[in-house]
């Protein structure tokens, strides 16, 4: 129901923007485009997101892959595909239409910065998204909201389309092109914030160490917000995929405030979650990009 309502709202934005740009014909074209994007994204969302980030897959020879395999087994999930992204910005995300077609990814910046227990907490959070079946919603929202922004930019560049008599006034069309991306962002924010709390709780249960996830969030929140992220610069809708906001202000973030998430995790550390054996610590590598102890290629 949540997915259907979300896609309906975004499709309505597509149609409204199409009408403003090209009248009834523009609305029909926008509806067809939205339907095509929804169908294509459902089957190919994971590939789109991973290619967007130039992610590279790692195999069982990787310690990072073995860590994710251990967490997936604890969570009772099928083994997801595991990817590494070569960027200094510390972050991670999960994608895929269902647990059987899921993928998780972490940046080399995150693997460099965190201890093994903290990395485990972060990846358990991402597996929490998979277990809660959030990944389809997250990925489709990012793709379709990005499409709305792209159509709005197209309209701003090329102006009104066609000569339809039912086409709205130029001022109305300009207002629609400005407001549509903001409306899409509001839809993202309304859906995403509660899902992050749910994934934090699921991640704490999977890893058995809410304090490690809280520590990871505290360490990566600042660098993730300030280090340059070319993917988000090209497609701002991608920011909602990550475990912490990237290059966006708290006002427009699709995530709850990091401090509130940390407080909720520390409350869980009071004994509500059954203890699990701690994972052995792995010495951290230097902060040099690409030299993570969990990065198999150590580039």
């Amino acid at each position: 129901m949540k997915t259907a309502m979300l896609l309906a709202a975004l499709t309505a934005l597509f149609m409204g923007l199409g009408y403003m740009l090209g009248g009834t014909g523009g609305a029909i074209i926008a509806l067809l485009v939205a339907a095509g994007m929804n169908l294509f994204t459902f089957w190919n969302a994971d590939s789109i997101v991973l290619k967007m980030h130039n992610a590279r897959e790692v195999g069982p020879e990787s310690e990072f892959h073995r860590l994710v395999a251990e967490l997936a087994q604890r969570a009772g999930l099928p083994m997801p595909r595991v990817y590494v992204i070569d960027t200094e910005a510390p972050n991670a995300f999960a994608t895929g239409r269902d647990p059987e077609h899921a993928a998780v990814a972490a940046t080399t910046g995150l693997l460099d910065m965190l201890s093994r227990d903290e990395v485990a907490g972060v990846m358990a959070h991402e597996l929490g998204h998979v277990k809660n079946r959030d990944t389809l919603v997250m990925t489709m929202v990012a793709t379709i909201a990005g499409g709305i922004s792209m159509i709005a930019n197209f309209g701003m560049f090329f102006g009104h389309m066609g000569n339809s008599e039912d086409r709205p006034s130029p001022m109305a069309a300009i207002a629609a092109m400005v407001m549509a991306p903001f409306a899409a962002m509001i839809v993202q924010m309304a859906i995403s914030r509660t899902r992050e709390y749910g994934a934090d709780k699921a991640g704490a249960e999977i890893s058995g160490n809410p304090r490690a996830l809280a520590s990871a969030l505290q360490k990566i929140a600042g660098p993730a917000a300030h280090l340059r992220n070319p993917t988000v610069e090209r497609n701002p809708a991608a920011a909602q995929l990550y475990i912490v906001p990237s290059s966006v202000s708290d006002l427009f973030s699709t995530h709850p405030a990091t401090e509130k998430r940390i407080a909720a995790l520390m409350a869980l550390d009071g004994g509500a979650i059954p203890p699990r054996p701690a994972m052995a610590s792995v010495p951290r590598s230097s902060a040099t990009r690409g030299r993570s102890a969990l990065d198999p290629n150590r580039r």
Side-chain angles (χ1 to χ4, degrees):
M1 179 62 70
K2 180 172 65 177
T3 302
M5 292 176 64
L6 175 63
L7 295 181
L10 293 177
T11 300
L13 282 174
F14 256 99
M15 293 183 66
L17 189 58
Y19 177 78
M20 289 296 180
L21 292 173
T24 303
I28 294 173
I29 292 172
L31 176 61
L32 295 175
V33 170
M37 285 190 68
N38 290 349
L39 184 62
F40 180 81
T41 304
F42 178 82
W43 291 105
N44 300 283
D46 52 345
S47 299
I48 294 170
V49 171
L50 293 167
K51 288 179 181 177
M52 185 190 303
H53 289 85
N54 295 317
R56 53 188 173 88
E57 189 169 5
V58 297
E61 74 284 353
S62 159
E63 185 178 356
F64 179 42
H65 186 282
R66 293 194 294 270
L67 173 63
V68 173
E70 179 183 344
L71 293 168
Q73 184 177 20
R74 288 185 179 187
L77 290 169
M79 180 62 194
R81 289 171 293 149
V82 182
Y83 289 82
V84 170
I85 302 167
D86 292 303
T87 179
E88 293 178 352
N91 236 313
F93 63 83
T95 185
R97 64 181 182 270
D98 55 41
E100 288 71 30
H101 300 88
V104 295
T107 67
T108 52
L110 181 139
L111 298 176
D112 284 337
M113 183 178 294
L114 303 181
S115 69
R116 190 176 192 271
D117 280 353
E118 290 166 341
V119 173
V122 168
M123 300 319 296
H125 167 98
E126 299 306 333
L127 290 174
H129 277 306
V130 173
K131 191 169 187 176
N132 294 341
R133 297 182 178 267
D134 293 332
T135 50
L136 173 62
V137 179
M138 295 164 67
T139 308
M140 294 185 81
V141 168
T143 303
I144 298 171
I148 290 174
S149 299
M150 187 168 55
I151 291 176
N153 292 335
F154 179 86
M156 291 290 284
F157 185 78
F158 289 101
H160 261 131
M161 299 184 294
N163 297 305
S164 174
E165 293 182 359
D166 65 350
R167 188 180 61 195
S169 68
M171 291 303 296
I174 291 173
M177 287 183 284
V178 172
M179 294 304 297
F182 284 100
M185 181 177 64
I186 290 170
V187 173
Q188 289 179 272
M189 291 168 60
I191 299 297
S192 296
R193 293 195 175 192
T194 55
R195 285 207 315 272
E196 290 305 317
Y197 283 122
D200 283 343
K201 182 178 180 182
E205 292 170 348
I206 292 168
S207 69
N209 194 346
R211 187 176 294 271
L213 176 54
S215 175
L217 290 174
Q218 191 169 36
K219 286 183 181 180
I220 67 178
H226 296 102
L227 287 176
R228 184 172 178 267
N229 188 325
T231 302
V232 174
E233 292 173 5
R234 292 191 301 268
N235 186 355
Q240 65 120 14
L241 296 171
Y242 305 129
I243 187 171
V244 293
S246 177
S247 305
V248 293
S249 68
D250 289 341
L251 178 63
F252 298 108
S253 174
T254 56
H255 292 54
T258 302
E259 293 77 11
K260 293 182 178 179
R261 294 171 65 187
I262 291 173
L265 285 165
M266 296 308 292
L268 291 175
D269 196 42
I273 298 176
R276 292 181 184 269
M279 297 184 184
S281 178
V282 172
R284 287 189 234 173
S285 64
S286 68
T288 305
R289 179 179 177 178
R291 291 182 58 81
S292 167
L294 295 176
D295 180 359
N297 293 335
R298 295 176 180 268
R299 301 196 314 192

